[in-house]
Amino acid sequence: MAVERIYVRQSPGDPQTERGLVQAVAGSGIVGDRYFGCDDEPGQNITLVEAEEIESFAAENRRPVDFSITGRNIVTRGVRLNEFVGREFMVGEIRLRGVELCEPCSTLGTAQASPELSAANVVKRFLHRAGLRADVLSTGTIARGARITNVA
């Protein structure tokens, strides 16, 4: 169970930028991300998604794998993120609390739609599989390859 990729988006509408290492601040999120310091709602600090779900979507639709398509910050491998809703877990040295599923929105649907696949069907495909919204509970770094562990 590890971090496969890390992304930030500095401003709404900007492309995702891949990073090898990011600084996370308790209660604020990832330094340099568009949601850093926002506290409009719980779970706004950081978002995670499973690499396996993105790979499955790509294979089903005969597309190249692009781990940035969901717009999530952390792409994981080997972990079922839905199990972390309401629970604390570690990503490397950072403690997170899973708040709620990060359900797909129309922006994701529209971005991934094609003549063969409607935006509504993209959203339907990612329902309950588009990731997790979490709060950052401790300050430190998250690096690509960091282990993801459950907090008992």
Side-chain angles (χ1 to χ4, degrees):
M1 301 188 323
V3 172
E4 180 85 8
R5 298 278 196 285
I6 303 169
Y7 295 99
V8 297
R9 183 183 316 241
Q10 292 183 341
S11 299
D14 285 354
Q16 292 277 82
T17 302
E18 187 172 352
R19 304 275 174 87
L21 179 78
V22 291
Q23 178 75 20
V25 176
S28 293
I30 297 175
V31 175
D33 189 65
R34 71 186 186 273
Y35 289 116
F36 182 77
C38 293
D39 62 357
D40 300 329
E41 55 193 65
Q44 198 170 16
N45 289 169
I46 193 167
T47 56
L48 302 94
V49 66
E50 298 167 20
E52 295 87 351
E53 289 297 343
I54 295 170
E55 290 167 338
S56 177
F57 174 79
E60 290 166 11
N61 294 286
R62 297 182 190 96
R63 296 180 181 188
V65 174
D66 176 359
F67 288 117
S68 71
I69 65 168
T70 62
R72 308 301 180 246
N73 300 119
I74 307 292
V75 179
T76 66
R77 180 157 311 273
V79 60
R80 298 299 302 170
L81 294 170
N82 291 13
E83 296 174 8
F84 288 129
V85 172
R87 298 175 65 190
E88 291 185 16
F89 60 104
M90 301 293 292
V91 176
E93 63 185 51
I94 303 296
R95 184 181 288 257
L96 303 176
R97 179 184 303 113
V99 174
E100 64 185 4
L101 297 183
C102 192
E103 295 294 14
C105 63
S106 61
T107 302
L108 173 63
T110 300
Q112 296 307 310
S114 68
E116 300 81 31
L117 184 63
S118 71
N121 282 337
V122 172
V123 171
K124 183 178 177 182
R125 163 59 180 77
F126 276 106
L127 190 64
H128 307 311
R129 301 187 236 182
L132 177 70
R133 294 166 53 102
D135 287 333
V136 178
L137 303 179
S138 63
T139 298
T141 59
I142 300 173
R144 187 172 178 181
R147 303 296 303 157
I148 300 168
T149 55
N150 191 19
V151 174

